[in-house]
Amino acid sequence: MLAEKGAILPESTRLLSPVPAPTMVVAAGLAYNSHLKEMSGTPPPRHPTGFLKIPASITGSGANVRLPPHAAEHMDYEGELAVIFGKHCHCVEAENSLDHVAGYSVANDFSARDWVYDAWRAEGAWEARLTWEVNIMGKQFPGFTAVGPWLVTRDELSDIGNQKLTTHINGQMVQESPISDTIFSLADTIAHFSRWYSFCPGDILLTGTPAGVGVGRKPPLFLKPGDRVEVGITSVGRLVNHIES
């Protein structure tokens, strides 16, 4: 009866992102201790760092993600925890910042790293700044912010730091880390970004990625057409995307 009325959908139904059109997506970078070690021992930042991603880059679980035709050589994956706000959040303190969170989801911060080697070889501050900006542009393509498959409310998951994140490429595990390996706590990260950003209900904070990204591996591992990318977080869910040309 419920299925006939549309209250229960068949298992084959592909879900959209739990928030398909947020007003803002903030992505934390240099967030995990293990990731800094694999990136040539990058020193930890003094405070949370991040950048904006355009909402038009969002897609859901089960969606195909296209290799950008002009930047297809070094497409990378970054499994992440996504925080979704449920209340307006601006200039909050760490002790109550989590009160503004509606819940959690799984994310993949895809990246076209075709220029990343130029950034590493940059000889001057201006050249390094330009190549870094281009790398951020490589995160804005359609489908490059995959979020899903659903939202788990915060009251259902009070111990998010104890959950484990994994990423698999075609069944091979390439990332495995507890969420607690982040340099800064989730509460501190939200409070820091709220000093500048005014988060609205439905806005998304991507919380960074642990070690195992393609560009940090030896040899590097980049995505190609036909690859299946699966990011899972225990007690949250599994996000699956397929790469196409």
Side-chain angles (χ1 to χ4, degrees):
M1 180 68 70
L2 290 176
E4 293 176 359
K5 293 182 177 297
I8 297 178
L9 299 177
E11 293 184 3
S12 59
T13 302
R14 185 171 72 82
L15 300 177
L16 299 176
S17 169
V19 184
T23 61
M24 182 167 55
V25 180
V26 176
L30 306 177
Y32 277 76
N33 290 290
S34 62
H35 182 48
L36 295 188
K37 291 178 182 178
E38 75 174 344
M39 303 305 284
S40 303
T42 302
R46 291 177 295 175
H47 50 71
T49 62
F51 54 92
L52 293 174
K53 297 195 75 174
I54 59 173
S57 65
I58 289 180
T59 194
S61 186
N64 292 342
V65 179
R66 185 186 180 199
L67 285 164
H70 55 290
E73 297 301 315
H74 303 113
M75 183 176 173
D76 208 345
Y77 52 88
E78 293 188 11
E80 308 198 7
L81 169 72
V83 173
I84 300 174
F85 289 91
K87 297 179 182 178
H88 178 256
C89 180
H90 181 58
C91 287
V92 301
E93 300 298 328
E95 52 264 32
N96 59 20
S97 64
L98 292 177
D99 294 340
H100 300 263
V101 173
Y104 307 104
S105 194
V106 186
N108 197 331
D109 176 22
F110 288 105
S111 308
R113 302 192 190 273
D114 291 61
W115 302 277
V116 73
Y117 300 108
D118 294 332
W120 287 346
R121 293 194 298 262
E123 297 179 356
W126 178 243
E127 182 183 357
R129 175 63 181 272
L130 287 176
T131 50
W132 173 248
E133 289 178 351
V134 171
N135 278 313
I136 297 303
M137 295 301 292
K139 292 174 172 285
Q140 313 297 337
F141 292 106
F144 270 41
T145 307
V147 181
W150 43 63
L151 180 152
V152 176
T153 56
R154 180 172 165 256
D155 64 310
E156 295 181 275
L157 191 56
S158 59
D159 60 342
I160 188 63
N162 294 329
Q163 307 308 312
K164 184 174 71 173
L165 182 150
T166 59
T167 302
H168 290 77
I169 308 295
N170 301 324
Q172 175 187 354
M173 187 163 64
V174 292
Q175 288 186 291
E176 181 180 22
S177 174
I179 299 297
S180 59
D181 185 51
T182 52
I183 299 168
F184 305 99
S185 71
L186 179 56
D188 286 336
T189 299
I190 293 173
H192 177 79
F193 285 126
S194 81
R195 296 172 63 188
W196 292 274
Y197 299 120
S198 181
F199 293 102
C200 296
D203 283 349
I204 298 174
L205 171 63
L206 306 183
T207 56
T209 196
V213 298
V215 74
R217 305 176 74 87
K218 296 180 181 179
L221 175 64
F222 295 117
L223 299 172
K224 59 186 184 301
D227 282 348
R228 172 188 169 96
V229 188
E230 182 175 346
V231 183
I233 299 177
T234 52
S235 300
V236 180
R238 306 187 78 81
L239 170 75
V240 179
N241 295 102
H242 297 87
I243 307 304
E244 65 177 8
S245 58

